Amino acid sequence: MNWPIVFLLLANLALLSWSASSIEDLDPPPNAAPSLLSCDEVILDLVPCLSYLRGETKQPSAACCSGAQKISNGAKSQAAKKDVCTCIQKSLASVGPYDKNLIPLIPQKCGIPLALPPIDAKTDCSKVAIYV
C-alpha cells in the first residue's frame, strides 16, 4: 500500500470534515433523500483501491473489493449514486495521476453489481443515471 497517498487522502478527509464550506458542498440539499453513505465512508472504503487505480497492481485488492461492496450496498437510489460519484470525483482530484478507465473495472473484477463511470474532473455526476 502506498502510505503517502493514504496519508494524503486521510488529510484531505480531515480538511473536508473541518471545513464548513466543503461540507456544505458535499452534503445533499435539505429536501433530498438521505444517503446511507457519507462521503467520508466512501473515501475510506476506496482508499485500498488507489494502488489499482494508479496501475501499481493488476487486480483490485480484497480490501478494495470489500469497500466497493459496501458502496454498492449503500448506494441504491439515483441520488445516492450521484453523491458517490461526486465524492469520488472530488477525492480523486487530490491524489495525483490515476487511470479513470480502471474505475468501472473495480466492480466487474470484484463481482459486484455496481456500475461506476470513468470518473475524473470532467465527469458530469448529475448524469450518473446513464451508468446504472
Side-chain angles (χ1 to χ4, degrees):
M1 180 174 280
N2 193 334
W3 289 109
I5 292 174
V6 171
F7 176 77
L8 179 62
L9 271 178
L10 292 176
N12 186 34
L13 179 64
L15 287 174
L16 287 175
S17 296
W18 292 325
S19 169
S21 62
S22 292
I23 291 296
E24 288 171 8
D25 290 342
L26 295 175
D27 287 340
N31 58 349
S35 175
L36 296 177
L37 297 169
S38 71
C39 187
D40 295 349
E41 291 170 311
V42 170
I43 291 169
L44 291 175
D45 287 339
L46 292 181
V47 165
C49 300
L50 282 177
S51 59
Y52 175 70
L53 294 177
R54 295 179 66 109
E56 297 166 2
T57 61
K58 299 280 185 199
Q59 296 290 324
S61 67
C64 173
C65 290
S66 175
Q69 182 66 58
K70 288 179 190 176
I71 291 169
S72 177
N73 292 342
K76 297 297 184 188
S77 71
Q78 293 303 321
K81 290 174 184 176
K82 176 185 167 285
D83 290 346
V84 166
C85 176
T86 301
C87 176
I88 292 170
Q89 183 180 49
K90 289 181 180 186
S91 299
L92 286 176
S94 66
V95 300
Y98 66 95
D99 185 349
K100 71 176 186 170
N101 296 312
L102 293 176
I103 294 172
L105 298 179
I106 293 171
Q108 292 174 15
K109 290 186 176 231
C110 294
I112 298 167
L114 175 68
L116 291 171
I119 300 170
D120 66 4
K122 297 177 184 174
T123 303
D124 184 353
C125 288
S126 70
K127 296 181 180 177
V128 76
I130 65 171
Y131 299 106
V132 294

